[in-house]
Amino acid sequence: MESSIAYRKLLAEALDLDLARIFAFKNKPPAAVKPVPWVPLTKYAKPRRHIPQGLEDMKDAPGLLDDFHLNLLDWGTSNRQLDTLRGCHRSRVGSMAWNKHILTTGGMDAQIVNNDVRIRSHIVQTYRGHRQEVCGLKWSPSGQKLASGGNDNLVHVWDGSMASSNSTGRWIHRLKDHTSVVKALAWCPLHSSLLASAGGNSDQTIKIWDTHIGACLNSVDTGSQVSALMWSQNEMELLSSHGPTQNQLTLWKYPLMVKRTELTGHTSRVLYMSQSPDGCTVASAAADETLRIWNVFGDPKWLKLLRK
């Protein structure tokens, strides 16, 4: 025993070590930490939605007027004429929007007129605020607010609660941030206060507005004129249609406004878009005199399965 201690002492002196710590394993090493089992995110994450890139259908539209200020496309079950409304405007009517039994029209005379289609004296209200042609009209999903865009680069938000009051409406907000004609307008169906607007060739931006306070929440430079905007009814996605150089439809993911996909095929600027009643299919019409059908917002059956 004494020889062992003496050996340890000599060894410590030779190596300049602390004798008390040589071979002193008093405590057990800590137990290994059990690893947390790895679980792939796809087990819980929502699967990425497939966006078809191809056309559902294409039709010729010979003689389609190449006028950026007009809105000549809408979706319906019949083309049968029901009535003719006269005396609304002093010059051409370029934009229209439905709010139940109220048909709102916007004209080159800078006026906006509410027409009650149930009665003979159909003009029930006018809105005055634009200085030039009214190029875009959209009612909010609740029917409480009306958005209008004009050739004067202005966007107005109007109080629509008195749509049949035989009075002159007054704008709630006058939005002046665009630098070109505003034709493209779209209310978000999932957040009632959100309004998207976009400008023409000298502007090329999409702007998102909080219509409670009239503030611009986001502005995105798209690189080309924007003729129409459309929100998905089931996702926070916004579709825009464009002019040169690509003449494409672009799908954006809100709120970051990143591009999800681009749908190409038109050979001239896209002028109009319209959404099917189920919210899934979009029709686009362009100066190339073609009408193209896209299943851009998904299949209702797929959405039903996803929610289960």
Side-chain angles (χ1 to χ4, degrees):
M1 184 68 177
E2 290 180 0
S3 61
S4 175
I5 295 173
Y7 171 75
R8 291 171 60 192
K9 185 176 181 181
L10 290 172
L11 181 63
E13 290 173 354
L15 299 176
D16 194 23
L17 297 173
D18 183 359
L19 180 65
R21 298 185 62 185
I22 296 177
F23 308 123
F25 297 103
K26 293 183 179 180
N27 298 320
K28 292 182 179 180
V33 179
K34 235 179 182 180
V36 178
W38 179 78
V39 179
L41 288 177
T42 53
K43 183 174 181 181
Y44 301 105
K46 185 177 178 179
R48 187 173 177 84
R49 184 170 67 81
H50 172 66
I51 303 170
Q53 299 295 304
L55 285 171
E56 289 288 304
D57 196 7
M58 184 176 74
K59 299 182 182 300
D60 291 330
L64 187 72
L65 194 61
D66 183 6
D67 189 328
F68 183 78
H69 299 80
L70 299 179
N71 297 270
L72 301 180
L73 183 67
D74 204 354
W75 201 292
T77 57
S78 171
N79 293 322
R80 183 169 57 90
Q81 181 174 329
L82 299 177
D83 201 354
T84 301
L85 305 180
R86 303 184 186 280
C88 309
H89 299 273
R90 297 187 301 272
S91 52
R92 75 174 184 181
V93 178
S95 55
M96 296 186 292
W98 280 101
N99 184 11
K100 299 179 181 176
H101 55 272
I102 298 294
L103 177 62
T104 304
T105 57
M108 189 179 274
D109 57 7
Q111 290 197 70
I112 300 168
V113 178
N114 281 343
N115 300 274
D116 190 334
V117 298
R118 301 171 302 175
I119 58 179
R120 183 182 295 274
S121 301
H122 50 84
I123 299 175
V124 293
Q125 189 177 37
T126 57
Y127 303 92
R128 294 185 178 92
H130 287 283
R131 305 185 186 102
Q132 296 183 38
E133 182 173 13
V134 179
C135 305
L137 288 171
K138 285 293 168 64
W139 281 99
S140 64
S142 67
Q144 297 300 304
K145 292 178 181 177
L146 173 67
S148 63
N151 197 39
D152 51 9
N153 310 340
L154 294 174
V155 175
H156 286 100
V157 178
W158 309 85
D159 181 4
S161 61
M162 305 294 288
S164 301
S165 64
N166 276 314
S167 63
T168 300
R170 176 70 178 170
W171 44 264
I172 305 169
H173 302 296
R174 171 177 276 180
L175 310 174
K176 304 178 181 180
D177 290 19
H178 286 291
T179 58
S180 185
V181 52
V182 180
K183 172 187 175 183
L185 298 165
W187 291 94
C188 179
L190 303 180
H191 292 276
S192 59
S193 65
L194 285 185
L195 172 69
S197 64
N201 199 44
S202 301
D203 182 280
Q204 304 184 358
T205 66
I206 297 173
K207 299 185 187 299
I208 309 295
W209 306 90
D210 181 345
T211 59
H212 282 323
I213 57 176
C216 184
L217 304 178
N218 202 350
S219 181
V220 180
D221 187 351
T222 69
S224 60
Q225 67 178 188
V226 186
S227 60
L229 292 170
M230 199 164 288
W231 289 94
S232 167
Q233 295 183 14
N234 304 288
E235 304 278 344
M236 290 305 292
E237 295 174 343
L238 180 66
L239 185 68
S240 57
S241 58
H242 296 266
T245 56
Q246 293 189 50
N247 309 306
Q248 83 282 11
L249 276 61
T250 301
L251 186 65
W252 308 83
K253 183 65 177 177
Y254 184 84
L256 297 180
M257 292 300 286
V258 293
K259 291 182 183 179
R260 289 212 57 186
T261 193
E262 291 188 332
L263 304 174
T264 58
H266 283 295
T267 57
S268 298
R269 63 177 180 173
V270 182
L271 295 168
Y272 327 105
M273 283 198 303
S274 184
Q275 195 171 20
S276 62
D278 66 7
C280 298
T281 306
V282 171
S284 62
D288 59 11
E289 298 186 342
T290 65
L291 180 68
R292 296 171 186 251
I293 311 296
W294 315 84
N295 186 20
V296 64
F297 287 134
D299 188 337
K301 294 178 182 177
W302 179 88
L303 291 168
K304 187 176 180 180
L305 289 172
L306 183 64
R307 295 192 182 101
K308 285 185 177 180

